Amino acid sequence: MSAQEAIPVYTNLKDLYASLGTSLDHAERWSTLAEEFEKRFGQKPQYITRAPGRVNLIGEHIDYALFGVLPAAIERDILIACAPTVSPADKGHPAPGNVTAENLQPKYTRQVFAPAPKAKASEIDEAVHVEGWHLDIPQQLRWENYVKAGYYGVLEKYFTGSKVLPVPVDLLVTGSVPAGSGLSSSAAMVVASTLAFLAINGKLEGSADKITKGELVKMSMENEKRVGVNSGGMDQAASVMSVPSSVLYITFYPSLTASPTPLPGGAVLVCAHSLKVSDKALTAKKGYNLRVVETLVGARVLARALGIAVGAREKITFREVVGRLMSEADVGPGGTGMDAAALMGVLHKMAEAVEQLKPPGSIDPEFGATLEEMTAMSGLPADEFHEVYLSWVEVDATHFKLYKRAKHVYSEALRVLQFRKLCLDTAEAGAAGSSLAALQELGRLMNESQTSCANDFECSCEELDQLTQLARDAGAYGSRLTGAGWGGCTVSLVPESDVEAFIKKVSETYPPYKGLEGEALSEVIFATRPSTGACVYKFE
Ligand code: NG1
Ligand code: MG
């Protein structure tokens, strides 16, 4: 799987559905969307873009430390139908780049917006040179922010200093990824929207500067940062690069790679929503973004303690710290990553090294370091510390728990490699190996991950703790929160033959599921297969 591949563009429905590996329910969603688009905008869509949500099996909150993670795309996705706006003759032309965005969900109302050109530099040959674009993305939770976030990157990459103006667009969105659930509806929205604007402006096919999967991942990551979350690249990479039936081992260091990893047979993934909605855009200051700062500062303090040189303005990550500890000989073939066995060896040792992150003089690492203590530990003058670690992000905390965060990150990074090795070894052993023993061991790693998320990274919550425990009681090999946490979904590895009984048991024992039946229940707890990454359908 190469980051250089182009985004698949289908012109034939049969090929599209074959690639999705799914049934007619999908076909119906696509055709309903196209029909509805025509009703609302008076023309057929030119494209439908698709980006799936994802479930992360293991490797939580370590992507922004640049450690590898193991997510899979899920079957639930975001679809966006789009076409250049055709205005009735009497209405004149809409402003360049104007967007009319609608959503099949009635609670998300119709939005019209246009980017404002910054400084028209000159007018030569009647063409306007626009130096840049401004698009207002308010810091409130609004559905169209995700559409705007996708648009922004396309404007910046392709329409800065350009003579050509962006095409006005009509678009209609529909989605089956539950929002705020840890299944990355946000990344799916941003990827699908980025693809829609790329498609409409001719940047997907034919053109010399057409986008690759790797570029789309980077662009979507940057785009999502505009909605206020300093995310790592896991969700966008999973949404763009996944392949059916496998989980994807995604690395970020030294470069983005995605290697399909087969799960042992005999188990399925079940996603279950805790029904506690966690919205990162609203809680980032005390949660997600705070963890990003704690882990970055932790990496600098650890590097110092280990005698590793760090540039004054460099935001070294936990992954780079171990990278610099390892010799050249440990770098894997082609420089695509460290040799997994060597990396596992170093990660084992890090369990001890992180002790150095306990705040000086404090017996209780539970408490964390104050801002002053943390600044002193970093070795930077206060103003530089602020500039490097706090000026670009809003956090709200009095104590920073560097030790506990590092303990989670390094142990979780090791669990990811152990999980992957088990999957690869089981596949290699084929019929001779025992899937059951492997699945039990994978489940154990997932359970350990949950404990580490709860105790050391403190990104779980009562509901998630309870739901994962009930899932284990109902027969799961393992169960953990998935995504950022603090609410949202859990993922459980469940014996294939027991799925129905498992879902029934959990639905009877988890109090917030009381009274839910049929479709309402399958909205909150459902089995899913690893699905395929983002694609585009072009109407001809
Ligand atoms: P969710 O909350 O599922 O969107 C977030 C981050 C990921 C990763 C996980 C924790 C975004 C877009 N995604 O996932 O990059 O850091 O938390 O492992 O913020
Ligand atoms: Mg998200």
Side-chain angles (χ1 to χ4, degrees):
M1 162 67 42
S2 153
Q4 301 311 317
E5 277 173 32
I7 309 297
V9 178
Y10 298 98
T11 49
N12 176 310
L13 277 180
K14 247 172 74 194
D15 296 343
L16 171 72
Y17 296 137
S19 82
L20 295 175
T22 39
S23 54
L24 283 171
D25 339 334
H26 259 92
E28 209 179 291
R29 268 180 78 226
W30 289 65
S31 53
T32 312
L33 183 68
E35 279 158 27
E36 193 59 32
F37 183 95
E38 196 170 350
K39 263 191 228 152
R40 296 184 184 205
F41 295 109
Q43 62 163 333
K44 286 195 163 46
Q46 220 169 58
Y47 296 93
I48 292 182
T49 63
R50 165 187 189 264
R54 64 99 186 92
V55 58
N56 188 23
L57 258 76
I58 195 157
E60 220 61 84
H61 286 282
I62 62 172
D63 58 345
Y64 49 88
L66 301 189
F67 276 111
V69 292
L70 268 175
I74 56 174
E75 291 158 292
R76 297 183 177 222
D77 57 17
I78 304 284
L79 301 181
I80 301 184
C82 55
T85 307
V86 284
S87 304
D90 58 324
K91 290 233 173 106
H93 289 296
N98 188 78
V99 176
T100 306
E102 297 204 16
N103 197 309
L104 274 192
Q105 271 244 15
K107 73 170 173 190
Y108 301 131
T109 56
R110 174 190 171 100
Q111 301 293 324
V112 181
F113 53 87
K118 275 189 232 157
K120 286 180 190 173
S122 62
E123 286 186 27
I124 306 165
D125 304 338
E126 294 177 351
V128 185
H129 291 250
V130 176
E131 277 182 348
W133 296 86
H134 180 76
L135 186 61
D136 187 36
I137 305 185
Q139 289 293 309
Q140 299 154 6
L141 202 64
R142 304 188 55 93
W143 80 268
E144 75 278 11
N145 277 0
Y146 293 92
V147 178
K148 288 182 174 175
Y151 194 12
Y152 213 114
V154 176
L155 286 170
E156 208 167 55
K157 182 168 163 79
Y158 293 103
F159 294 96
T160 299
S162 155
K163 285 187 193 176
V164 183
L165 297 176
V167 176
V169 187
D170 293 337
L171 52 85
L172 179 61
V173 179
T174 186
S176 56
V177 194
S181 67
L183 298 178
S184 264
S185 60
S186 60
M189 274 292 283
V190 173
V191 171
S193 137
T194 306
L195 275 175
F197 291 104
L198 287 169
I200 290 291
N201 289 292
K203 302 301 177 194
L204 271 189
E205 306 163 279
S207 86
D209 51 358
K210 76 174 174 213
I211 196 142
T212 63
K213 286 184 178 175
E215 286 165 347
L216 178 61
V217 171
K218 290 218 178 81
M219 205 169 167
S220 307
M221 260 174 84
E222 287 308 311
N223 289 349
E224 187 144 354
K225 288 191 179 153
R226 300 198 166 88
V227 220
V229 180
N230 286 279
S231 65
M234 161 167 66
D235 311 344
Q236 299 81 0
S239 185
V240 172
M241 300 179 82
S242 285
V243 293
S245 317
S246 286
V247 289
L248 208 59
Y249 176 58
I250 300 176
T251 66
F252 305 96
Y253 176 89
S255 58
L256 179 72
T257 66
S259 334
T261 304
L263 276 179
V268 290
L269 307 176
V270 175
C271 301
H273 199 313
S274 66
L275 292 182
K276 178 169 160 105
V277 172
S278 151
D279 204 300
K280 261 194 277 86
L282 300 179
T283 57
K285 280 193 222 172
K286 290 177 194 276
Y288 196 90
N289 287 350
L290 174 59
R291 294 294 181 272
V292 174
V293 170
E294 287 173 318
T295 50
L296 286 173
V297 178
R300 169 178 286 270
V301 176
L302 189 61
R304 267 189 100 212
L306 295 171
I308 295 167
V310 186
R313 295 193 170 256
E314 185 190 2
K315 289 204 276 271
I316 192 171
T317 58
F318 281 131
R319 177 65 182 84
E320 289 160 304
V321 171
V322 298
R324 288 184 203 177
L325 279 180
M326 295 171 82
S327 69
E328 281 294 310
D330 297 324
V331 177
T336 51
M338 302 288 175
D339 172 70
L343 184 52
M344 280 162 92
V346 183
L347 288 174
H348 274 293
K349 290 190 202 137
M350 293 315 284
E352 214 170 287
V354 298
E355 294 288 319
Q356 322 226 25
L357 290 177
K358 287 185 174 165
S362 157
I363 336 125
D364 188 5
E366 193 54 51
F367 217 64
T370 62
L371 179 58
E372 289 70 31
E373 285 168 340
M374 179 169 71
T375 308
M377 287 163 87
S378 79
L380 292 177
D383 53 341
E384 255 177 57
F385 182 89
H386 186 270
E387 171 66 29
V388 178
Y389 291 105
L390 296 170
S391 62
W392 47 276
V393 66
E394 270 189 82
V395 297
D396 179 2
T398 56
H399 288 81
F400 301 81
K401 302 184 187 176
L402 310 188
Y403 164 67
K404 290 179 98 182
R405 309 310 180 227
K407 201 168 154 214
H408 166 76
V409 170
Y410 282 119
S411 65
E412 184 77 354
L414 181 57
R415 282 186 287 273
V416 169
L417 292 174
Q418 292 167 332
F419 193 104
R420 175 156 192 264
K421 185 168 184 317
L422 263 164
C423 291
L424 295 177
D425 289 351
T426 312
E428 206 182 284
S434 156
S435 267
L436 179 62
L439 289 168
Q440 285 166 337
E441 188 56 18
L442 295 177
R444 192 187 60 75
L445 289 168
M446 290 171 75
N447 293 339
E448 269 184 16
S449 165
Q450 171 63 25
T451 305
S452 180
C453 281
N455 297 347
D456 290 330
F457 215 72
E458 297 177 281
C459 62
S460 189
C461 62
E462 261 173 51
E463 292 84 345
L464 288 169
D465 292 340
Q466 185 185 16
L467 184 51
T468 48
Q469 187 51 50
L470 290 172
R472 287 174 211 129
D473 296 346
Y477 295 118
S479 183
R480 52 182 300 282
L481 66 86
T482 186
W486 294 292
C489 275
T490 60
V491 58
S492 304
L493 191 66
V494 177
E496 197 167 19
S497 50
D498 288 355
V499 184
E500 270 171 42
F502 170 83
I503 291 182
K504 184 160 181 286
K505 246 194 204 145
V506 174
S507 69
E508 285 163 3
T509 50
Y510 184 55
Y513 288 174
K514 249 215 166 85
L516 293 182
E517 278 178 83
E519 214 169 290
L521 186 63
S522 58
E523 270 298 293
V524 297
I525 179 167
F526 53 89
T528 183
R529 292 179 303 159
S531 144
T532 190
C535 68
V536 174
Y537 180 74
K538 184 179 180 186
F539 291 80
E540 285 189 326

